[in-house]
Amino acid sequence: MSEKVFISPGKYVQGKNVIDKTGEYVKPLGHTALVIADKLVWGIAADRVVKSLEQAGLASVKVEFQGEASKNEVNRIADQGRSGHVDIVIGVGGGKTLDTAKAVNEVLGSSVVIIPTTASTDAPTSALSVLYTDEGAFDTYSFFSKNPSLILVDTKVISQAPPLFLSSGIADAMATWIEARAVIEARATTMAGGLPTLAAEAIAAKCEEVLFDYGLQAYESVKRKVVTPALEAVVEANTLLSGLGFESGGLAGAHAIHNGFTVLEGDIHHLTHGQKVAFGTLVQLALEKRPLAEVERYIDFYLKLDLPVTLEDVKLQEASREDLYRVAQAATKEGETAHNLPFAVTADDVLDAILAADQYSLAYKAKIGQTN
């Protein structure tokens, strides 16, 4: 592959209370919307979406998401969309709901609108979904023919979510430049299906710059449930910059480690996507033999955001060497994004990097007088 490829959603809208303008923005796309949200999100935001659609003269079919972005759930919801003759799919909620909405839309061949209620992942803007088994293990990346037609991000809604969701989104977005940098060096193929563009490189680098500049202020803002300029900047970095940056800039080691973790049982599955990516990012930095000062900059930032930096933090303090080797094997299986690093990577390499990342973080905690 020698072509450069950059892809993006049709329109991105961000601001306070934009959810109440859903109908206005959606109206050009069709007449009947399939609105997907889980039980909790219906009360938080999805009912307001339906109300705004009604005010704009649009019909809607309401579906409750059951919690797992699996092929069976996609097919169940798509069947309801077919029977309702919908021509718009609207996903409202977190990453798994949004990934399901995109997959349902691919089945139905309609327009998809994504309305995240947290800034916890960079899933909203992309033309792909991460699908899991019904039991919650990583299944596959599902690639679609086009990106969402519209992304609506209501920063007032996001400011009301638990701070953990924002810090998780920052962790996910922090991987964007680290992984894109590796893909660019390796001249590897991105999720967009080509080499990274200069635009993707610039966006990924800007994403990290914004997060280091405003991430802590944004985290404090959501603790008080207020919308500040810092929060607006970080929501855009978590959602738009990271979304464009990871998809057209590429994934590498951090997300491969995250996927590797899904083979384990236990408490690690209670962690968010971003929390696992945070540790995966430190593992990639260890693999890349980055200087200690650089590694410690990330560890320090993650600690201030209450993100995990050690195996104990990701609930793996009791994991055996064999268990961690299984993670490393899954992270380096054929087709995994770990192979986008600019050097050959084996399961043994990844196991050593996992243990090294844990040790670097333990040493840094000791240096600053912090204990678990």
Side-chain angles (χ1 to χ4, degrees):
M1 170 63 70
S2 59
E3 299 89 359
K4 293 184 174 186
V5 179
F6 183 88
I7 57 178
S8 67
K11 182 177 286 189
Y12 178 89
V13 181
Q14 176 182 313
K16 291 172 73 169
N17 299 315
V18 296
I19 207 166
D20 296 321
K21 296 181 178 179
T22 301
E24 174 187 328
Y25 284 107
V26 168
K27 197 166 186 176
L29 301 177
H31 305 284
T32 304
L34 177 69
V35 184
I36 305 166
D38 66 29
K39 189 173 184 179
L40 181 65
V41 168
W42 273 107
I44 294 171
D47 285 330
R48 288 169 64 189
V49 168
V50 170
K51 182 180 178 182
S52 180
L53 293 173
E54 289 172 351
Q55 290 171 342
L58 301 173
S60 59
V61 176
K62 298 165 66 172
V63 178
E64 186 176 306
F65 174 61
Q66 298 299 323
E68 198 52 74
S70 67
K71 291 172 184 174
N72 286 333
E73 181 70 350
V74 168
N75 291 331
R76 180 186 74 84
I77 295 174
D79 286 342
Q80 294 189 51
R82 279 195 202 92
S83 61
H85 304 290
V86 304
D87 52 6
I88 311 165
V89 176
I90 302 179
V92 189
K96 290 192 174 184
T97 303
L98 305 182
D99 276 355
T100 300
K102 285 186 282 186
V104 167
N105 177 66
E106 188 74 2
V107 174
L108 298 178
S110 47
S111 296
V112 66
V113 177
I114 298 298
I115 305 178
T117 51
T118 68
S120 59
T121 75
D122 51 18
T125 64
S126 69
L128 66 91
S129 290
V130 182
L131 297 181
Y132 298 83
T133 64
D134 291 330
E135 293 72 40
F138 173 74
D139 183 7
T140 185
Y141 288 110
S142 188
F143 297 90
F144 308 131
S145 56
K146 62 179 181 178
N147 294 69
S149 301
L150 172 65
I151 319 290
L152 278 178
V153 185
D154 191 321
T155 45
K156 181 65 174 177
V157 169
I158 285 168
S159 73
Q160 306 305 298
L164 168 63
F165 289 120
L166 187 77
S167 63
S168 295
I170 292 172
D172 194 25
M174 284 295 291
T176 305
W177 171 240
I178 292 170
E179 292 188 290
R181 177 178 62 187
V183 172
I184 291 163
E185 187 178 338
R187 291 185 60 79
T189 301
T190 72
M191 296 296 192
L195 295 176
T197 58
L198 293 174
E201 180 178 353
I203 288 168
K206 185 65 175 179
C207 179
E208 179 175 274
E209 179 187 324
V210 169
L211 296 172
F212 271 129
D213 285 349
Y214 300 109
L216 299 181
Q217 290 163 268
Y219 186 48
E220 297 304 323
S221 299
V222 295
K223 289 179 183 178
R224 291 297 288 268
K225 300 187 183 300
V226 293
V227 178
T228 61
L231 180 62
E232 290 279 3
V234 167
V235 168
E236 184 177 342
N238 283 9
T239 311
L240 182 61
L241 300 184
S242 182
L244 298 176
F246 99 78
E247 189 170 30
S248 292
L251 296 178
H255 276 82
I257 300 300
H258 165 276
N259 295 342
F261 282 145
T262 67
V263 304
L264 298 180
E265 304 293 328
D267 290 341
I268 189 169
H269 291 302
H270 299 303
L271 299 179
T272 65
H273 172 85
Q275 286 176 310
K276 288 176 275 190
V277 169
F279 188 80
T281 299
L282 298 178
V283 175
Q284 179 174 327
L285 292 171
L287 276 168
E288 294 177 315
K289 58 176 185 290
R290 294 288 171 182
L292 182 62
E294 182 178 343
V295 175
E296 288 186 343
R297 185 185 186 207
Y298 291 97
I299 295 171
D300 183 73
F301 186 62
Y302 291 155
L303 287 172
K304 288 173 180 173
L305 290 164
D306 303 311
L307 288 164
V309 298
T310 65
L311 286 170
E312 182 174 355
D313 292 342
V314 292
K315 315 298 183 188
L316 293 180
Q317 65 270 28
E318 303 298 328
S320 66
R321 192 178 181 91
E322 290 72 23
D323 285 337
L324 295 178
Y325 188 70
R326 285 170 53 217
V327 172
Q329 285 180 307
T332 54
K333 70 181 183 181
E334 186 177 351
E336 253 303 348
T337 58
H339 300 297
N340 286 342
L341 288 161
F343 45 83
V345 181
T346 67
D348 282 330
D349 297 331
V350 171
L351 174 60
D352 285 347
I354 289 171
L355 297 171
D358 178 57
Q359 188 60 35
Y360 297 161
S361 294
L362 289 171
Y364 184 74
K365 282 186 170 186
K367 185 164 84 172
I368 63 172
Q370 181 175 334
T371 55
N372 278 345

